[in-house]
């Protein structure tokens, strides 16, 4: 089964924002994602091509720490799958773009790398 991008509503945002991840079976239980702790593997992860695997391995060094506004889970998922970073939540939707910008200023999130 081929991996695809999926998303779930984030309860703490009143379901306005979504968490994006990559999965081969469509479930979060078997997925690869990006968050405050860096790259997140759940269960069996996802079946990726060699090029996609390479993108996963280089992501942290290439783009740095997680940031809800400028380096979020949606950008990670699109980059791994296509080689291009994209986030409709922060690049298209003005409500979530403003919210993410404010949150990133008021409550920055550090990844493991950022805590060294």
């Amino acid at each position: 089964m081929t991996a695809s991008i999926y998303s779930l509503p984030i309860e703490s945002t009143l379901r306005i924002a979504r968490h994006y991840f990559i999965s081969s079976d469509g479930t979060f239980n078997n997925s690869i994602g990006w968050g405050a702790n860096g790259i997140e593997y759940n269960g069996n992860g996802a079946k990726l091509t060699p090029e996609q695997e390479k993108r996963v391995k280089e992501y942290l060094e290439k783009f740095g720490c997680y940031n809800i506004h400028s380096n979020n889970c949606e950008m990670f998922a699109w980059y791994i799958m296509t080689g291009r970073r994209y986030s409709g939540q922060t690049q298209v939707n003005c409500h979530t773009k403003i919210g993410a910008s404010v949150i990133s200023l008021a409550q920055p999130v550090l990844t493991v790398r950022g805590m060294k």
Side-chain angles (χ1 to χ4, degrees), residues 4 16 29 31 33 36 39-40 43 49 52-53 64 73 81 95 102 106:
S4 295
I16 295 169
N29 293 335
S31 66
I39 298 170
E40 303 167 339
T49 67
Q52 291 166 337
E53 289 282 354
C73 58
M81 296 304 295
H95 293 100
V102 169

Side-chain angles (χ1 to χ4, degrees), residues 7-108:
S7 68
L8 297 170
I10 300 171
E11 297 300 324
S12 63
T13 67
L14 302 176
R15 303 174 66 89
I16 295 169
R18 301 186 68 82
H19 177 66
Y20 286 78
F21 58 94
I22 300 165
S23 176
S24 296
D25 66 6
T27 69
F28 184 71
N29 293 335
N30 292 306
S31 66
I32 301 170
W34 176 248
N37 294 319
I39 298 170
E40 303 167 339
Y41 290 89
N42 294 301
N44 297 325
K47 294 177 183 155
L48 302 176
T49 67
E51 182 63 30
Q52 291 166 337
E53 289 282 354
K54 179 181 175 226
R55 290 184 197 129
V56 169
K57 290 177 183 164
E58 73 185 15
Y59 194 83
L60 183 60
E61 287 302 317
K62 193 168 189 175
F63 298 109
C65 297
Y66 175 87
N67 181 289
I68 194 167
H69 182 257
S70 61
N71 192 20
N72 63 41
C73 58
E74 188 177 9
M75 291 174 179
F76 172 82
W78 279 103
Y79 179 76
I80 301 309
M81 296 304 295
T82 69
R84 299 181 71 195
R85 291 172 74 224
Y86 170 78
S87 174
Q89 295 184 110
T90 61
Q91 295 170 327
V92 177
N93 185 319
C94 69
H95 293 100
T96 52
K97 178 180 182 173
I98 292 167
S101 180
V102 169
I103 290 169
S104 70
L105 293 172
Q107 185 182 26

